[in-house]
Amino acid sequence: MSGVSLAVAPRSEPDRTTTSTTDPQQKRAQIHQQQMQQQAAAGGVMGSLRVIELQLVAFIMVFSASGLVPLLDLVFPAFASAYLLALSRLAFPAHGKIYESPEIFQGSRMFRFYVVIGTTVGLFLPLAYVLGGFARGDEHAVRSATPHLFLLSFQILTENIISGLSLFSPPVRALVPLLYTVRRIFVILDWMKDVWINKTLPANAEFKDVAWYWFGRGLAVANLLYFSVNLFCFLIPRFLPRAFERYFKERDEIHAKMTEDKRSAAMNTSQHADKKAD
């Protein structure tokens, strides 16, 4: 959840074991083929995350109408979307450059595994916990985990939508997981309070009830640990600086190209004037 569609990409390094060639076209073709193979290998893992996008829309609609999500969390996606749009227009406008790959952070295989763990801990297990709470009639479990699941669903949808739009620059894209993660940490703290303080077991509880009780507690702790590490060890120190570095590098390249074009145009005008004078 560090930016599922924004922060994960296969490495595009050429295969060092292949035979070198002096033909530039052949070399480019080999590198392109290697990139396609790497993207296909990664697509099986990360592409499966996009399959759930339509289901997430259904979950969001159900959660919104269920009355289980507090008003503040219902309003937060609208506020975040409006804020991101304002940033994309006023603070960090896109340079109008379309890229073959929208990813900001070129993740390794280990990083992709880290993202899959986050998807399991943050999305699939909480969803199983909520559905299990419905089946068991445990309204307390459903109400405590639903706000986190609602915000995470909106985060994934937002990431998937803006990853294909050139309207949003890298800093704006990077702020999506950052904003949602900060908000969800506060939501997870409320979840922790519900399952560790407000919820108690009866003295004669059965084993399945005890297992369910500790599953909810452990899941809340796991989410707090994962997303805290994700925020303070990846999003802030690595992901966000990489996005700004890419953005300002692209801006400098565009400014340098514009300056060069103006210089070339001035030289051409001067040469044309000299020819007329002759």
Side-chain angles (χ1 to χ4, degrees), residues 45-194:
V45 176
M46 306 320 304
S48 61
L49 298 179
R50 292 177 177 269
V51 175
I52 64 175
E53 188 170 346
L54 292 178
Q55 288 87 339
L56 289 175
V57 175
F59 292 150
I60 289 173
M61 293 175 65
V62 172
F63 294 153
S64 301
S66 64
L68 298 173
V69 181
L71 179 60
L72 178 60
D73 295 326
L74 287 173
V75 174
F76 182 81
F79 163 77
S81 300
Y83 182 63
L84 292 171
L85 283 172
L87 287 178
S88 67
R89 294 282 183 170
L90 304 176
F92 304 107
H95 298 308
K97 187 176 179 180
I98 300 176
Y99 304 91
E100 295 180 358
S101 176
E103 291 85 359
I104 295 173
F105 189 84
Q106 299 277 325
S108 63
R109 182 177 301 177
M110 183 63 68
F111 180 75
R112 292 196 296 271
F113 178 69
Y114 164 78
V115 174
V116 171
I117 291 178
T119 305
T120 303
V121 171
L123 181 64
F124 294 135
L125 290 181
L127 180 59
Y129 184 65
V130 169
L131 296 178
F134 274 117
R136 295 171 59 89
D138 189 351
E139 184 180 352
H140 189 276
V142 175
R143 188 173 296 276
S144 61
T146 295
H148 157 75
L149 196 56
F150 171 80
L151 290 174
L152 186 59
S153 300
F154 245 112
Q155 176 185 335
I156 297 175
L157 281 177
T158 306
E159 289 176 359
N160 287 339
I161 289 172
I162 72 171
S163 64
L165 298 177
S166 59
L167 171 67
F168 298 98
S169 60
V172 177
R173 297 179 186 182
L175 284 173
V176 175
L178 190 66
L179 289 176
Y180 276 93
T181 300
V182 169
R183 175 58 196 159
R184 281 190 297 103
I185 285 180
F186 287 99
V187 171
I188 294 172
L189 288 174
D190 292 336
W191 181 6
M192 290 271 294
K193 179 181 177 182
D194 286 340

Side-chain angles (χ1 to χ4, degrees), residues 186-222:
F186 287 99
V187 171
I188 294 172
L189 288 174
D190 292 336
W191 181 6
M192 290 271 294
K193 179 181 177 182
D194 286 340
V195 296
W196 281 89
I197 298 177
N198 297 338
K199 188 175 182 179
T200 58
L201 274 176
N204 56 347
E206 299 182 3
F207 175 77
K208 61 180 182 180
D209 296 327
V210 175
W212 176 256
Y213 175 76
W214 282 103
F215 172 68
R217 282 188 160 190
L219 187 59
V221 172

